[in-house]
Amino acid sequence: MLNPKMYLCKRLASLVLQLDQELQLLHKELSSIDKVLQGFPSRGWIEWKYVKCGKKSCNCQQGKGHGPYAYLRYWEDGHLKSIYLGKTSRIQIPEQQQQSLQDRKQKIQETIQKLNNTILEAIKLLEKTLYS
């Protein structure tokens, strides 16, 4: 049977690991939000394509086509989807969605700071418990 001090140490260590895992998830979400706010897609990949315009007299019929043009490619409900992005991979984000993402980003940053402080506090308590 574990003595109370060892039990407390193991429990604190377990909680610190759980907090660390939560921190990693928040950092990943923060990175995704940053990409969207910078105008990059948060899912899928960008594919550059040359396209043929359909005019019989156009040079693109014999060559590789017009372009390259950027398309966002992603899977949804088992189907490969495309969104035309144009000659750039930047996406315009509606103002309301941009503000919502900025708000979420701020909350994540605050939560990350609180979790970091909690982890430091738990480590200090763990050290105090071990060495007292």
Side-chain angles (χ1 to χ4, degrees):
M1 184 171 168
L2 287 177
N3 68 39
K5 195 183 237 185
M6 285 304 294
Y7 173 77
L8 181 61
C9 289
K10 282 189 170 198
R11 183 72 183 127
L12 278 172
S14 173
L15 290 172
V16 167
L17 287 174
Q18 287 175 358
L19 289 172
D20 187 57
Q21 288 173 345
E22 184 65 28
L23 268 174
Q24 289 176 22
L25 292 173
L26 288 171
H27 279 292
K28 192 181 261 189
E29 184 179 353
L30 194 59
S31 175
S32 181
I33 288 172
D34 279 337
K35 285 180 184 177
V36 172
L37 288 173
Q38 293 169 9
F40 293 99
S42 62
R43 62 178 183 193
W45 64 96
I46 295 176
E47 197 170 282
W48 295 86
K49 293 182 181 182
Y50 288 90
V51 295
K52 300 191 189 264
C53 66
K55 295 178 185 173
K56 292 182 183 181
S57 61
C58 186
N59 290 335
C60 73
Q61 298 304 320
Q62 283 79 37
K64 56 183 171 180
H66 298 284
Y69 298 108
Y71 291 83
L72 172 61
R73 305 281 296 198
Y74 61 98
W75 289 96
E76 184 177 275
D77 300 327
H79 299 285
L80 185 60
K81 305 272 184 155
S82 289
I83 298 174
Y84 173 69
L85 301 175
K87 290 189 177 189
T88 177
S89 60
R90 300 271 182 197
I91 299 173
Q92 293 294 81
I93 302 169
E95 194 69 33
Q96 186 178 2
Q97 184 183 3
Q98 208 169 28
Q99 186 58 48
S100 173
L101 288 171
Q102 289 286 8
D103 293 345
R104 178 68 182 140
K105 180 179 175 179
Q106 181 66 35
K107 285 180 184 175
I108 290 172
Q109 288 171 330
E110 290 168 3
T111 303
I112 286 173
Q113 187 61 48
K114 287 178 186 175
L115 286 175
N116 279 329
N117 291 340
T118 303
I119 288 172
L120 288 175
E121 200 174 311
I123 290 171
K124 286 178 187 174
L125 185 59
L126 186 58
E127 288 172 344
K128 184 178 178 182
T129 305
L130 281 173
Y131 302 115
S132 63

